[in-house]
Amino acid sequence: MAKYIIADNQEITRFAIESLLKQNDENQIYRASDKTSLVAKLKEHEHAVVILDYTLFDFADEDQLLIVSERFALSQWLLISDELTPQFLRRVIYSSHQFSIVFKDGPMKDVRDALHAVSHHQRFISQRALEVIISQQNDEEKPDILTATEAEIVKAIAQGKTTKEIAEERFSSIHTITTHRKNIFRKLGINTAHELIKYAIRAGLVDPSEFYI
């Protein structure tokens, strides 16, 4: 009998993962909506497999993630996200053998293989994740400088505006703003909005008194 904690706030992904896990009637499935509830679940189920979308959760940075994983050393972690930066992948993979990696837009076989591996306390790193890490090692470049448009979008995101609100203000499509957002995260080497807020404060794009980091 395996225990799983699904820590993914994207409803359609959560439903799909639960459907896969329920194919085995013996699996026990739990949900966590934030870091606090995840820690509470891990206290009850220390041997659980955590299925986490880091980019949609409230971890401030990878340090917090690694601290929690070290605290619950008997747990296994399957990170499943749309995008993860090379720096993040290298830090997490090299720091702990508890972590496996797949991408949401990858083949279903990756997800199935990863779930099978982590349930047997084995690590699974998708081919794409390995390629991202190797590519970064072979091409260490300085981060690109943000364009004026990207800087304005960073400011708007840091102020808590949604993609739809930013698109309306800029008379752009939601797709265009989403593309800008992905490019910004890639250039800055970040994965979450929390990290973006930190950058915006350091860069002087927003007033630090407006935030508690």
Side-chain angles (χ1 to χ4, degrees):
M1 177 180 65
K3 297 181 179 181
Y4 297 86
I5 302 172
I6 301 179
D8 190 318
N9 289 320
Q10 191 173 64
E11 187 173 3
I12 189 168
T13 304
R14 190 170 60 241
F15 175 80
I17 292 172
E18 287 184 356
S19 297
L20 286 173
L21 295 177
K22 287 178 179 177
Q23 292 177 5
N24 184 337
D25 294 335
E26 295 185 355
N27 287 337
Q28 294 185 6
I29 305 169
Y30 307 92
R31 290 185 181 183
S33 59
D34 55 26
K35 180 161 60 77
T36 301
S37 62
L38 175 57
V39 169
K41 290 295 183 184
L42 282 168
K43 287 181 179 178
E44 298 176 12
H45 312 287
E46 293 186 350
H47 290 82
V49 174
V50 179
I51 302 174
L52 170 72
D53 187 337
Y54 172 78
T55 63
L56 297 179
F57 228 60
D58 63 341
F59 284 104
D61 50 37
E62 59 262 34
D63 287 330
Q64 281 193 359
L65 174 63
L66 290 170
I67 288 170
V68 173
S69 68
E70 289 171 4
R71 179 179 174 185
F72 300 98
L74 299 177
S75 62
Q76 297 291 314
W77 296 66
L78 174 57
L79 303 186
I80 176 169
S81 299
D82 286 321
E83 285 193 54
L84 292 167
T85 64
Q87 296 90 339
F88 174 87
L89 289 172
R90 290 171 65 180
R91 173 83 188 282
V92 170
I93 290 173
Y94 295 160
S95 296
S96 173
H97 284 278
Q98 290 171 262
F99 291 95
S100 296
I101 312 286
V102 294
F103 289 92
K104 287 185 176 179
D105 60 352
M108 177 61 72
K109 184 178 185 301
D110 277 0
V111 178
R112 291 183 183 277
D113 289 348
L115 289 173
H116 180 268
V118 295
S119 68
H120 290 80
H121 297 277
Q122 298 172 355
R123 174 184 253 188
F124 181 91
I125 307 296
S126 71
Q127 184 63 32
R128 176 178 161 191
L130 292 173
E131 289 172 355
V132 169
I133 295 170
I134 293 170
S135 174
Q136 177 70 11
Q137 290 174 330
N138 293 338
D139 188 19
E140 295 287 350
E141 297 179 351
K142 295 181 179 179
D144 297 326
I145 298 174
L146 297 183
T147 66
T149 297
E150 289 169 342
E152 291 173 4
I153 292 174
V154 166
K155 181 177 180 179
I157 294 172
Q159 290 172 336
K161 295 178 181 178
T162 66
T163 300
K164 182 179 179 181
E165 290 171 337
I166 298 171
E168 290 174 350
E169 288 181 358
R170 300 188 61 82
F171 302 101
S172 299
S173 69
I174 291 177
H175 174 74
T176 297
I177 301 302
T178 299
T179 300
H180 278 306
R181 180 188 174 100
K182 288 183 177 181
N183 289 337
I184 290 166
F185 277 45
R186 176 184 57 77
K187 286 184 177 182
L188 299 180
I190 60 177
N191 296 282
T192 67
H194 190 98
E195 293 173 303
L196 183 140
I197 291 172
K198 286 184 176 180
Y199 169 83
I201 292 173
R202 291 196 302 268
L205 296 175
V206 294
D207 185 348
S209 65
E210 299 178 26
F211 303 92
Y212 174 75
I213 303 299

